[in-house]
Amino acid sequence: MTAPYPASLFIHPTALKQMNRMPHGLRVKCDKAIAHFERDRSHPGLQFKQLKSSPHYSIRIDQDYRGILQRTKGETFLLIAVSARQSVYDNLPEDVATDVNRVTGEFEVIPLDDVEKVAAAEPRADAAIAGTQVPPPLFDGFTDKELVDLGVAPVLMPSVREIRTETGLFRLVDVIPQHSANVLIELATGTSIDDVYEKITAPRVTTDVDVTDIDSAVERTIGTAVRSDDPAVKAMLEGDFEAWRLFLHPSQRALVESDHRGPVKVSGGPGTGKTVVALHRAARLARAAEPDDRILLTSYSANLAADLEDKLRGILPRELAGRVEVANVDKITRRIAFAGLRPAPQIADTQQQRDHWQTVLDAAGETEFDVPFCIDEWQHVVSAQMINAQHEYESAPRIGRIRRMSRAQRARYWQLLTAFKKRLQDEGQWTFEQVQLRAALSEEMRRMMEPARYQHVIVDEAQDLTAAHWRLLRALVEPGANDLFAVGDPHQRIFAQPVTLSSLGINVKGRSRRLEISYRSTRQILATATSVMAGSTVDDLDGGIDDLTRYRAIVSGTDPRFVATDSTDTELDAIVAQIKEWDHVDRTAIAVCAPYTHQAKRLAAQLSAAGIPTERLGKTPPTEPDAIHVATMARLKGLEYRCIVICGVNADQFPRGFATELADADPTAYQAAMQRERALLFVAATRARDALTFVWHGEPTEFLRSRLREGQRYRASRKGHPSSATGSRMDSPGDVCHGEP
Ligand SMILES: Nc1ncnc2c1ncn2[C@@H]1O[C@H](COP(=O)(O)OP(=O)(O)OP(=O)(O)O)[C@@H](O)[C@H]1O
């Protein structure tokens, strides 16, 4: 028996994309052949050999397919393509082109056949049916030289010129080298040549590229290729592939790989890949960490943390996963606040807190302050500033509150608050604000004597963390390089009050970044969601203003639907009809949500009774393999679905009662609560990828009005337009359908 010849195999990004499009059975065969090759490339079943007239090698995948390899140095190879056996004779198959990119200096592989097929499927001006219009080519406004200077592979040029539709563009970017894809997406979404150069091309420029020096180009490419044992490759070969695991946008990659001397804040609209960046950054830091280093990856809620943990396992080898603790921020908060307290205190729920306040107000004969005011003041003024003593409260700013509080009023409120806390204590209860405060203060105390528990902390959904959370996180991580990395979207803030990170000891000056391309929702869904936020001003977590207009969606689709009904019964009929219309969609990719918990509960039962399998979303990840998800709007935070019904958005239910009841108590607190309600609808709407339907009975919520008015204007402007006679009832933005969709 001869000794085995072990070898290392890297997979070229183009080959990865190609494998991702293969049928599952063939991918499994590729996986097996790769594993054999790495163990022993001389294994007879592989038929490993050099092609006669080329420097390339081939291995057998099955009787019909061969893998094409490029040797780099020693026993390291790069898999560049999987081709049909009959096309692999003595040379590289004719349908595969290789080239050195003159901007990046990388070795590129171009599947010419696939690229030409995409171009051929585009509508052609010379084949247009009389009377129909063929859209102009998408890249007509750019010369070949401009595209090539930005780094688009010259061999792609004839096909790029044929692309006229978004579908064609997205099919093209799926098969071409990543740098060319990134440039074309940016240009097609309206970014100027100069900006594309700055954002996409300049960071990838390699000086002194010699396009004839294949060896150096292959060496460079090995740096960006993935190893065959990468967990993300395994996930893809096993069929659970999401493009982000392997193909980050350059702006995302820069955030993952850069080193910083202190905390970093990344903002970005819905679906811009903030979570993806947080995950990859955690994985990257784990790879670079010392064995004893601890990394915390945290998010707002338990189900989001569970989802993060699951995804992290998909990109990080198991032996490194132990370096990263994934937990929701309140779990950590409780753990620290309750350390040594046995039994752990009980948390008072909203109703219990209201009852305690009512008792306190009644006992004091209080007539000026009511329960909503007292709760709001406690949560958003006292707790938000971590005020612990009366003298601090007396001089504290009441940011955003119109109602002025005299010294005497403040003193009275403090007395009431003291009585409220006493009641809680007597009942053995805490509010969550108290738990957070205790956790932050005790960790800050501990840090005076001991080193920090973590070397790196990465935060997702940063917009919903409170001041106390931030103080806790600051104390949990050793100050220094790459200490804190927070991603969030202030427009999606639905729980906390705005904070200013610098006032909490987290200085992100010069280290604030943005992500702008939205990968999730269609343009139409994003536009509708954005209209919900119309007229509101939103902070950027650090004293500035965040701006929604800079986010761009890359896919186009159909307009959201608006379905008006006249009762809860007809509303249910409309929801059932909508779900049935989506019967081609995997059930777990559909969600139905409503403002209140009791509505979500009732809906789940009613839909099940109507023969639609459902699962209610809770704190743990869903388990049913074939059920649509039913949840409150808030529970959908951070998740994504192909199709969503948002129901119960009638004016008398949404915004929810506890927000509207603040109107009399404090107009500014009311505005802040209304802003959170708007954001809740924005969050729910932006969970949808392809299709979104709003259903209500009676009058629609005021937050949809601007969109519905726009629909009326659109219809008015189309009156008399030839196509309006044949258009469906649902073909204009904001078109309202009555009854079933
Ligand atoms: N580079 C990428 N290539 C392909 N898909 C991507 C890329 N980056 C992100 N995505 C996809 O976009 C979607 C949104 O990503 P992600 O959840 O990270 O966004 P987010 O900014 O955290 O969203 P949100 O704030 O709305 O919860 C996901 O389906 C993800 O797979």
Side-chain angles (χ1 to χ4, degrees), residues 149-396:
D149 285 351
L150 289 172
V152 178
V155 67
L156 291 174
M157 230 34 84
S159 303
V160 167
R161 294 285 165 217
E162 295 299 328
I163 301 299
R164 293 164 186 270
T165 64
E166 275 181 354
T167 316
L169 175 66
F170 291 117
R171 290 183 56 209
L172 185 74
V173 300
D174 251 4
V175 297
I176 64 179
Q178 200 57 32
H179 183 73
S180 297
N182 290 332
V183 169
L184 294 178
I185 287 180
E186 287 289 339
L187 291 174
T189 52
T191 312
S192 70
I193 292 195
D194 288 348
D195 286 350
V196 176
Y197 186 84
E198 198 183 311
K199 275 168 47 182
I200 308 286
T201 306
R204 304 293 319 281
V205 168
T206 302
T207 43
D208 303 330
V209 172
D210 175 358
V211 291
T212 60
D213 182 359
I214 305 287
D215 288 345
S216 305
V218 172
E219 276 294 302
R220 281 185 207 107
T221 310
I222 286 285
T224 57
V226 285
R227 277 198 53 109
S228 63
D229 58 359
D230 189 306
V233 174
K234 288 270 165 234
M236 185 265 279
L237 291 171
E238 281 156 19
D240 173 24
F241 186 72
E242 291 159 304
W244 61 265
R245 290 187 199 235
L246 293 162
F247 306 113
L248 290 178
H249 184 272
S251 56
Q252 296 173 327
R253 190 164 290 287
L255 289 169
V256 168
E257 285 169 4
S258 49
D259 287 313
H260 299 275
R261 291 163 65 164
V264 176
K265 178 201 79 172
V266 179
S267 53
T272 49
K274 298 179 296 297
T275 303
V276 160
V277 164
L279 278 165
H280 276 276
R281 185 146 178 108
R284 184 219 140 199
L285 291 172
R287 288 195 176 96
E290 300 293 329
D292 291 339
D293 283 355
R294 301 283 295 143
I295 299 163
L296 173 66
L297 172 60
T298 187
S299 187
Y300 184 78
S301 56
N303 60 333
L304 292 182
D307 194 46
L308 280 180
E309 185 153 29
D310 200 41
K311 287 183 167 141
L312 188 70
R313 266 195 241 116
I315 55 170
L316 192 61
R318 192 174 308 169
E319 64 275 16
L320 297 181
R323 293 181 184 173
V324 187
E325 178 183 349
V326 188
N328 59 307
V329 68
D330 282 336
K331 181 172 174 191
I332 301 185
T333 304
R334 279 174 207 254
R335 192 167 71 206
I336 291 172
F338 295 163
L341 294 185
R342 293 286 172 275
Q346 219 194 75
I347 306 287
D349 65 25
T350 317
Q351 191 52 49
Q352 287 167 327
Q353 290 190 43
R354 292 174 81 103
D355 293 346
H356 291 328
W357 272 113
Q358 196 59 62
T359 313
V360 165
L361 295 182
D362 291 347
E366 176 61 45
T367 51
E368 190 186 2
F369 303 140
D370 61 10
V371 171
F373 171 81
C374 290
I375 292 183
D376 185 72
E377 185 78 1
W378 160 235
Q379 290 181 342
H380 299 309
V381 176
V382 179
S383 303
Q385 296 177 72
M386 298 182 67
I387 295 170
N388 218 6
Q390 183 171 355
H391 69 271
E392 290 169 13
Y393 178 59
E394 278 171 1
S395 57

Side-chain angles (χ1 to χ4, degrees), residues 178 182 242-250 252 268-279 304 307 311 460-461 463 487-489 492 515 517-521 554 636-640 682-683 686-687 689:
Q178 200 57 32
N182 290 332
E242 291 159 304
W244 61 265
R245 290 187 199 235
L246 293 162
F247 306 113
L248 290 178
H249 184 272
Q252 296 173 327
T272 49
K274 298 179 296 297
T275 303
V276 160
V277 164
L279 278 165
L304 292 182
D307 194 46
K311 287 183 167 141
D460 193 10
E461 304 283 340
Q463 72 279 357
V487 304
D489 175 7
Q492 295 185 50
L515 288 169
I517 296 183
S518 175
Y519 287 88
R520 180 187 300 126
S521 310
I554 60 173
L636 292 193
K637 179 183 179 55
L639 304 180
E640 82 180 22
F682 177 75
V683 167
T686 53
R687 304 304 94 199
R689 229 179 68 185

